[in-house]
Amino acid sequence: MEVFKVNTGRMLDAFTKGTYEVHEAIYEFADNAEAANANHFVITAEKGNGSPLKRIILADDGDGMTSTGLVRSLEFAGNRERKQNEISEFGVGYKAAGFSLANSITIITKSSDGTISGAHLDRAQINDTETYEGPNDPPTKPYDELWQKYAVDPDQSGTIYVLDGLLQQKYNSCKSFITGIRHVNRLATRYRIPIDSGSFTIYTVNGSGSRIRLPSHDPLHRTTPSTELVLSDKTLIHPRSGARFNVALTRLPAASKTADFGVHLVVAGIEVCVDNRSLMGMYSQNASHSYRWLLRGEIRFDTKEEFHKLCEFASHKHAIKIVDVGFGDWLRDTDFGKEFTAEADRRQKEKECEIYQKQKQTFAKASADFVDFLNNKRYLYGNCHELKKKYCGKIAGIKPGVFSDKEQVSRFDKGNNIIFYNEGNPTLSSLMSTRDPAKEHIARVLAASGALIQASSAPIGVEECFTLMCNLLALKL
């Protein structure tokens, strides 16, 4: 039987190139820190300030690893028992994430017994020989010195990852990297629950600067006084899978400009993704959802076990797939989904109203411009002095009117100097109801020329009538 062969270098390329956004790669290290019971996680950018970004250091004060544990953690796609409070899934995690950011990864870890172990992974060496410098090899890196320099607390256990030979091209400087990492919709949102509980604190360091604590961000804006709490931690049980989860829903004030719209999915206290397209299958993927929607939703699975009854991770756990195709239809019929449906209906009616009001304004302006031309462009009346004398500068408006005879097109109200057009006339009504500016203009021309000619005290010749209509039709409004 043939041996299944894997090209290590090409495999790393497949797992790293274009797979991770920079902040998603950082998530992998933070996830490991949080799962290792770390209280603090520090992200350092060197060389600092506005200098080019040359090195990224990620450090935690978690349980740390023994040399055996370190080797086990470096097994690509390794199979180990995972706790329910960690979202680690594929055994690829920080290795693939690290190599998506850099060509070199140095790991220093201190176990609970005080032993410091180190490993160095060089991309070129792995590609050429499929080997790396492990904790039992003669060290080429000053692991003890690096521990003293970068450890969260050198006297406590923990793990440090030093990334050199950076590949990422999104951030050119340390300042831009730190700014990007601190964006409210990234780590601040993903780790909101552990940050708020006080169990997990994230810091950033720009070069030789001090540690700056990262505040949490709640995409549902629950602590904002003007936010309406529609549903608060309501428990739902999916009947087919038996999956148990909690939902929350808020409505932001109308003036809100935040871009947190969607259903935020939380697994074991970590926000893994936000679905702002299908809203967990309640709508089609191609549905258009305006970010002016005021609802913000959350679905929270307390354990990965409950999550797996209904969903599975995809794309290195930065996206999810719902395994029950009917889940979206079921969710839409819950109190949670009904609020989104009502909001969609409200938004649709609001949009239709906005379009209608805009059309009315456009129509009114076109009518006003038309009357303005009749009052100020004497050439429209041609050589007919009777029309010029009687109407130019004296027409107050053009409006719809009520006519007893549906065949009548229009009339001129001499008392108020208003042109009334017959909305009951089939031809005129069809032209006016198209919302086509060109056809609406033709209707105004028919109404105005007919009303003005009929109301004239002196007879108007055919040529004069034809001239008025042609000049009105040629107007550029």
Side-chain angles (χ1 to χ4, degrees), residues 109-126:
T109 185
K110 184 177 181 180
S111 61
S112 57
D113 65 5
T115 303
I116 294 177
S117 303
H120 177 67
L121 288 74
D122 179 79
R123 181 69 168 268
Q125 178 184 341
I126 292 174

Side-chain angles (χ1 to χ4, degrees), residues 423-436:
E423 283 190 310
N425 181 279
T427 301
L428 211 62
S429 176
S430 64
L431 290 171
M432 285 294 195
S433 62
T434 60
R435 300 303 179 191
D436 182 336

Side-chain angles (χ1 to χ4, degrees), residues 365-386:
K365 184 179 184 304
S367 295
D369 290 344
F370 184 81
V371 171
D372 186 64
F373 273 99
L374 286 171
N375 284 327
N376 295 290
K377 304 298 181 182
R378 296 176 64 83
Y379 76 87
L380 293 173
Y381 301 97
N383 296 322
C384 186
H385 298 291
E386 171 67 20

Side-chain angles (χ1 to χ4, degrees), residues 55-114:
R55 170 181 277 187
I56 297 172
I57 304 98
L58 308 162
D60 68 62
D61 60 354
D63 295 335
M65 293 176 279
T66 63
S67 59
T68 302
L70 176 56
V71 172
R72 189 182 301 117
S73 78
L74 287 168
E75 181 182 344
F76 205 84
N79 186 19
R80 64 174 176 83
E81 185 177 347
R82 290 173 171 84
K83 296 176 289 187
Q84 280 300 312
N85 71 324
E86 63 174 309
I87 60 172
S88 177
E89 183 76 1
F90 302 113
V92 173
Y94 81 83
K95 284 85 70 177
F99 279 126
S100 75
L101 296 176
N103 276 320
S104 171
I105 307 172
T106 302
I107 308 168
I108 312 98
T109 185
K110 184 177 181 180
S111 61
S112 57
D113 65 5

Side-chain angles (χ1 to χ4, degrees), residues 63 106 161 191 324-325 464:
D63 295 335
T106 302
Y161 305 88
Y191 303 101
D324 188 302
V325 293
E464 293 169 325

